[in-house]
Amino acid sequence: VASHQQTNFTALPLCVARQSLHRIVPAMSGENQDDPILLAILPTEQDAVYEEEILRNPYSVRLWLRYLKAKNASTHKARNVLFERALKAMPGSYKLWHMYLQERLAVTKELRIDDNAYTSLNNTFERALVYMNKMPRIWLMYASFLMHQRKFNKVRKTFDLALQSLPITQHTKIWKLYTEHAKTCGIPETACRIYRRHMQIEPDFVEDFIEYLLKVERWDEASKLLAAALDKADWQSTKGKSKFDLWMQLCEIISQHADEVKSIRVEPVLRGAVKRFKDESGRLWTSLADHHIRLGQFEKARDVFEEAMATVLTVRDFSVVFDAFTTFEESIISHMMEKEETEGEKEYDELDPFA
């Protein structure tokens, strides 16, 4: 009699568990109930102790975690069904959702990108975010997974939803990954718009935006942002660069891309830098002269060189300006000589009847 009672006591929680599985996995009913793959996810007699505890208290996270730990050697499908049972009882448990999604991610990323498991996991993330929309870690996991799938439009919409759902104090975590996505999306206009939105919340990250603009060769906007940052007396570089290094970077952009920089008044900006760094003004003067040279304004360039040689304070700056001036004049003379030689050859060819 005792043996018979023990058998019934063990079978009860297993029977209840299998009935709940029939509701979670409809394919287990009818003709498919003897399918060995589906039978593998059913609880066994060894699980009776855990099933009994769950039957008594289905709202205990600790009991579900103990059950999951005991099923570590089970198949992924069996563990997924167990997670689904736990989450059906406690859909607001962050710990269960996080563990479940991590396991699904580890398995899915080993598959081909066109496998149906990716779509299934995307749907699971969407279900999780119904309850976990205030948890930045879940948003970041989902966004990273979508980035892995190269679904750029979906990634952008997901980040936007995350920023709408989370409090502003947690936006820094989202923006860090969002800007990484901007760098890799391959669409400069979309990336620039993302960076501009980030600048409205965290203007100190202007250097990251400038670096990206230089990478995609948007010289005008890069020089405008850099000049605006340098114009602020209390602004400090987050990259550890000095003000002089940043001024020289601005001068290099302006001088080498004179035709494309239209948003700032170049000469007042560079002359202001010369007044600020009088002991290091040689390179700034040559940058201003180079700007005029690239625009074809040779007379203005000569005036700048002559003014620089008359106003610099150190021998080093004078030698920098003088060397740049002589190189400029030599290039002008050599160009004129080549032009005269070319014209002379053309006249000779016109006079020679046998040419």
Side-chain angles (χ1 to χ4, degrees):
V1 173
S3 175
H4 179 68
Q5 291 177 348
Q6 180 66 31
T7 302
N8 290 339
F9 180 71
T10 303
L12 178 61
L14 293 179
C15 180
V16 175
R18 294 186 181 191
Q19 288 178 357
S20 65
L21 284 176
H22 279 282
R23 292 192 294 269
I24 296 175
V25 188
M28 293 180 60
S29 59
E31 299 177 355
N32 298 323
Q33 60 184 355
D34 295 327
D35 190 328
I37 298 177
L38 295 176
L39 289 175
I41 68 176
L42 288 174
T44 61
E45 293 183 0
Q46 289 79 10
D47 303 328
V49 176
Y50 302 102
E51 291 291 346
E52 181 184 355
E53 291 178 344
I54 294 299
L55 186 62
R56 290 176 178 174
N57 188 6
Y59 305 110
S60 170
V61 176
R62 182 177 58 84
L63 295 180
W64 283 109
L65 292 177
R66 282 182 57 193
Y67 196 177
L68 287 163
K69 185 176 180 180
K71 301 283 283 185
N72 275 339
S74 301
T75 63
H76 295 300
K77 289 184 178 180
R79 287 182 61 80
N80 290 348
V81 170
L82 189 54
F83 269 116
E84 291 287 350
R85 288 176 59 196
L87 290 168
K88 186 176 181 181
M90 290 178 297
S93 171
Y94 169 78
K95 195 166 189 177
L96 286 173
W97 275 116
H98 190 258
M99 286 181 60
Y100 183 32
L101 294 171
Q102 277 190 320
E103 284 196 21
R104 292 281 300 274
L105 280 171
V107 175
T108 305
K109 284 187 175 181
E110 296 178 357
L111 305 174
R112 285 169 52 96
I113 199 69
D114 58 349
D115 196 282
N116 290 332
Y118 280 87
T119 303
S120 175
L121 185 51
N122 288 340
N123 294 334
T124 303
F125 268 111
E126 295 286 349
R127 285 194 294 119
L129 288 170
V130 172
Y131 304 98
M132 300 287 109
N133 53 59
K134 299 300 181 184
M135 301 297 176
R137 174 53 53 189
I138 304 299
W139 285 108
L140 292 172
M141 289 171 65
Y142 187 26
S144 299
F145 185 56
L146 292 173
M147 289 169 64
H148 174 70
Q149 300 173 67
R150 312 290 288 179
K151 294 188 173 184
F152 295 125
N153 193 41
K154 183 66 175 175
V155 171
R156 180 178 56 81
K157 291 181 179 180
T158 300
F159 276 121
D160 291 343
L161 285 173
L163 293 171
Q164 293 173 20
S165 301
L166 295 171
I168 196 169
T169 54
Q170 295 182 332
H171 282 194
T172 302
K173 301 175 183 178
I174 302 299
W175 279 116
K176 185 177 181 180
L177 186 61
Y178 202 177
T179 51
E180 288 296 324
H181 164 66
K183 295 177 185 178
T184 59
C185 71
I187 308 172
E189 183 58 33
T190 299
C192 288
R193 293 187 180 189
I194 292 171
Y195 272 109
R196 291 187 197 113
R197 289 175 58 195
H198 186 206
M199 290 279 296
Q200 294 176 2
I201 302 297
E202 298 178 305
D204 292 338
F205 286 86
V206 64
E207 281 185 275
D208 294 332
F209 189 16
I210 292 171
E211 287 180 0
Y212 178 78
L213 290 171
L214 296 176
K215 182 181 177 181
V216 298
E217 300 182 354
R218 294 200 170 194
W219 313 111
D220 186 49
E221 189 171 2
S223 61
K224 181 181 177 181
L225 287 174
L226 186 53
L230 290 170
D231 194 44
K232 298 176 182 177
D234 58 344
W235 183 78
Q236 295 292 330
S237 169
T238 57
K239 306 288 184 181
K241 296 180 181 179
S242 66
K243 284 287 185 73
F244 180 74
D245 292 335
L246 294 170
W247 272 109
M248 291 311 303
Q249 184 181 19
L250 176 60
C251 293
E252 183 179 352
I253 296 170
I254 290 172
S255 61
Q256 293 185 3
H257 307 281
D259 294 335
E260 300 177 51
V261 177
K262 306 292 184 183
S263 297
I264 62 174
R265 298 173 62 191
V266 175
E267 188 159 350
V269 169
L270 291 182
R271 286 186 178 275
V274 168
K275 292 179 181 178
R276 185 173 299 182
F277 302 101
K278 293 182 179 180
D279 296 337
E280 297 284 350
S281 60
R283 293 166 62 189
L284 296 170
W285 280 114
T286 55
S287 296
L288 179 56
D290 191 27
H291 171 74
H292 290 304
I293 292 169
R294 292 178 184 273
L295 292 176
Q297 301 169 350
F298 300 131
E299 290 302 323
K300 282 189 176 182
R302 286 192 180 94
D303 293 341
V304 170
F305 279 126
E306 291 172 359
E307 183 183 354
M309 288 190 293
T311 56
V312 292
L313 302 178
T314 64
V315 175
R316 181 181 59 183
D317 287 338
F318 182 86
S319 63
V320 168
V321 174
F322 184 77
D323 291 343
F325 194 10
T326 53
T327 302
F328 164 65
E329 292 293 356
E330 287 173 359
S331 64
I332 293 293
I333 293 170
S334 61
H335 176 71
M336 293 175 65
M337 292 176 64
E338 289 175 2
K339 186 177 180 181
E340 288 180 0
E341 288 178 3
T342 305
E343 290 177 354
E345 290 176 359
K346 287 182 179 179
E347 292 176 0
Y348 179 78
D349 291 340
E350 290 174 357
L351 294 173
D352 189 358
F354 301 103

